[in-house]
Amino acid sequence: MKIFPKSRVKVTEGLHVRISNHFFYTDFGIRDSGEMRYGGRRFVMSDTPGTGFIERESESHSYHLFVRELVAKQKPSYMRMLLGQEPSFDRAIADANKAMIQTDDRYKRDLLECYVNALTIARNEERMERIVRGIKDKMGHHSNKFMVSVMSHYKSKIRQLEHDMASVVWHVEDHCSEETYKAYLQMVEAFSRVASCRRIWFLDSASKKQSQDQVFFDLGIFDYIISKDYLPIMRHPDGTHYYFLPDAVIVARSNTDFDVLPLKNMTIVYQELAIEETNESMLGRLGDAASSIKIPECNLTFYFNHLHPIVNFIQAMDRLKATL
C-alpha cells in the first residue's frame, strides 16, 4: 500500500533520488516515441494500462468536455493513490492471469497472454519513467554531467524496452490474411468518418422510455493490441466498449472481462430515417438524426446526424466480411 507520494530510491552508485509513487501516464507500447504521422494527437488512457483512445479533431463542445473530464482524472491525487484508485500494473497483471485461467475461449486466452507479457514490460518502463522524472527534479535548472549520463542510461533502457514490447504485443496484421487486413484498414478509414459525425446517439430499445444518450466513437487500443490505424471503438452508455478486429468484435466490460464475437456472422445494417417508419416524438428527441446503425447480436442501435459516412462504413464492413 502506498502511503507517501514519493520514495527515496538508489538509481545508481552514488545517486539517490526521490521518485513519485503516482502512476506515470504514457503512450509507451501504443506508438513509437518518434512517431510523427499522428500529428501530436493525444493518447488518452483508460483506468487500466494498455487501453485508451487517440483524441481526434472535433468541433463538438460535448466531445471536448468528454475528453477533458477523462484527462482531469489523470492528475495526481493523493487520495486516489492512497485508496488504490490509480492504475496499477500489479493489479492488471493479476486480473489478466486470473481471467486466463477462467476462460476456455482460445481467442480470448491468446489476447490475454499477449496482454500479460506486454504489461510486464510496460511495468518496468513506467518505473524508469518515474526515475527519469526524479533525476530531472533533483537536477533542476543546473547542469550536472553525472546526472545527465545516468538519465541517458535509463532513456536508453526505455528504448530497448520499446523493441521488447513490439515482440510480445498482439499485432493485428499477423492474425489475418493480407486481403483481410487491407479491407480492415479501409473499414477503419470509413469508421473514422463515422466517428467524426457531429452527433451520435445510443437508443436503448429495451427501455420503456426508449431513452437516448449521446455517445462518442473513436479510434484507440485495447490491451496493447496493435494495428496501423488503431481499433474502431463504439461506446455504450453503461461503459461497455466495442472494439473491431478484422475477424471479431471485442465486447469489453473491462480489460479482462470481455467477450470475443465472430464478425463474419454478425449483422450490421444501416437505415435511413427518411424512409424509416417512426413517430415524430422520437425524431424530436433525436434532433436532426438522419440515419441509424443496428447490431442485433449486441442489442445496439445508434443514430447519426449524417447519412453518407454511415453508408460508406457499412459497405466497407461488408467488403471486409466478404474476405473472412
Side-chain angles (χ1 to χ4, degrees):
M1 178 181 177
K2 300 176 182 177
I3 298 179
F4 302 105
K6 289 189 176 183
S7 299
R8 185 174 183 269
V9 300
K10 178 181 178 180
V11 296
T12 191
E13 192 64 36
L15 180 61
H16 289 74
V17 300
R18 289 170 57 81
I19 67 170
S20 173
N21 285 328
H22 290 288
F23 182 86
F24 190 92
Y25 289 88
T26 175
D27 57 3
F28 174 80
I30 309 302
R31 54 189 177 188
D32 294 336
S33 58
E35 212 167 297
M36 298 299 292
R37 64 190 173 91
Y38 296 100
R41 288 183 293 164
R42 176 168 50 177
F43 171 68
V44 183
M45 201 188 93
S46 69
D47 292 332
T48 311
T51 297
F53 64 97
I54 302 295
E55 181 184 10
R56 53 183 167 79
E57 294 183 1
S58 174
E59 296 181 357
S60 169
H61 173 72
S62 54
Y63 179 73
H64 289 301
L65 181 61
F66 164 72
V67 174
R68 283 199 298 269
E69 288 178 347
L70 292 176
V71 173
K73 295 179 181 178
Q74 299 181 1
K75 293 181 179 179
S77 164
Y78 178 72
M79 189 56 65
R80 286 185 66 226
M81 184 197 75
L82 192 64
L83 297 177
Q85 295 176 348
E86 291 186 345
S88 166
F89 281 103
D90 291 339
R91 185 167 61 243
I93 291 172
D95 290 345
N97 279 319
K98 181 179 179 180
M100 259 199 301
I101 295 173
Q102 295 177 341
T103 186
D104 56 1
D105 186 314
R106 178 61 183 272
Y107 203 129
K108 181 177 180 180
R109 186 183 296 111
D110 288 347
L111 289 175
L112 287 169
E113 183 177 354
C114 288
Y115 185 43
V116 169
N117 292 335
L119 285 170
T120 304
I121 295 174
R123 176 173 57 184
N124 293 333
E125 189 276 342
E126 188 263 354
R127 177 174 172 78
M128 290 183 190
E129 291 280 11
R130 289 187 284 119
I131 289 174
V132 169
R133 182 72 263 174
I135 296 173
K136 287 182 178 179
D137 291 342
K138 184 166 185 174
M139 190 165 53
H141 298 292
H142 305 285
S143 178
N144 184 302
K145 291 183 178 181
F146 174 60
M147 290 189 193
V148 169
S149 67
V150 174
M151 190 161 54
S152 297
H153 169 71
Y154 277 98
K155 288 183 177 180
S156 177
K157 293 177 71 174
I158 289 174
R159 287 192 294 271
Q160 179 58 52
L161 288 176
E162 288 181 347
H163 294 292
D164 296 343
M165 192 72 164
S167 67
V168 301
V169 295
W170 175 286
H171 290 275
V172 170
E173 187 176 6
D174 297 337
H175 293 85
C176 62
S177 68
E178 184 178 347
E179 179 189 14
T180 296
Y181 190 61
K182 181 179 179 181
Y184 175 70
L185 293 180
Q186 292 173 348
M187 182 276 288
V188 174
E189 177 64 26
F191 178 88
S192 68
R193 295 188 176 91
V194 174
S196 297
C197 288
R198 185 170 56 86
R199 298 276 184 182
I200 304 175
W201 299 271
F202 170 79
L203 174 65
D204 186 358
S205 57
S207 171
K208 293 182 179 179
K209 297 181 180 180
Q210 287 196 327
S211 60
Q212 295 88 37
D213 296 281
Q214 185 177 6
V215 294
F216 304 100
F217 291 0
D218 277 298
L219 296 177
I221 188 167
F222 176 74
D223 286 5
Y224 290 115
I225 298 174
I226 300 300
S227 179
K228 177 183 176 182
D229 291 331
Y230 296 110
L231 311 181
I233 307 170
M234 290 182 174
R235 295 185 176 92
H236 191 289
D238 69 1
T240 303
H241 288 54
Y242 298 81
Y243 299 88
F244 286 81
L245 296 176
D247 61 346
V249 176
I250 297 175
V251 183
R253 293 165 291 275
S254 74
N255 284 56
T256 55
D257 179 16
F258 61 88
D259 301 316
V260 181
L261 306 181
L263 180 62
K264 183 176 179 63
N265 299 322
M266 186 168 288
T267 305
I268 306 176
V269 297
Y270 80 93
Q271 197 162 18
E272 183 178 355
L273 291 189
I275 61 173
E276 182 180 26
E277 293 183 4
T278 185
N279 56 65
E280 293 183 0
S281 61
M282 180 183 291
L283 288 175
R285 292 196 298 272
L286 289 172
D288 55 354
S291 61
S292 69
I293 287 179
K294 298 179 185 294
I295 309 178
E297 288 84 354
C298 299
N299 195 28
L300 297 176
T301 302
F302 296 103
Y303 285 85
F304 308 85
N305 68 318
H306 290 84
L307 173 62
H308 294 299
I310 314 306
V311 174
N312 293 336
F313 166 65
I314 295 299
Q315 291 175 344
M317 180 64 76
D318 289 341
R319 289 193 294 271
L320 168 61
K321 291 167 65 177
T323 68
L324 300 177

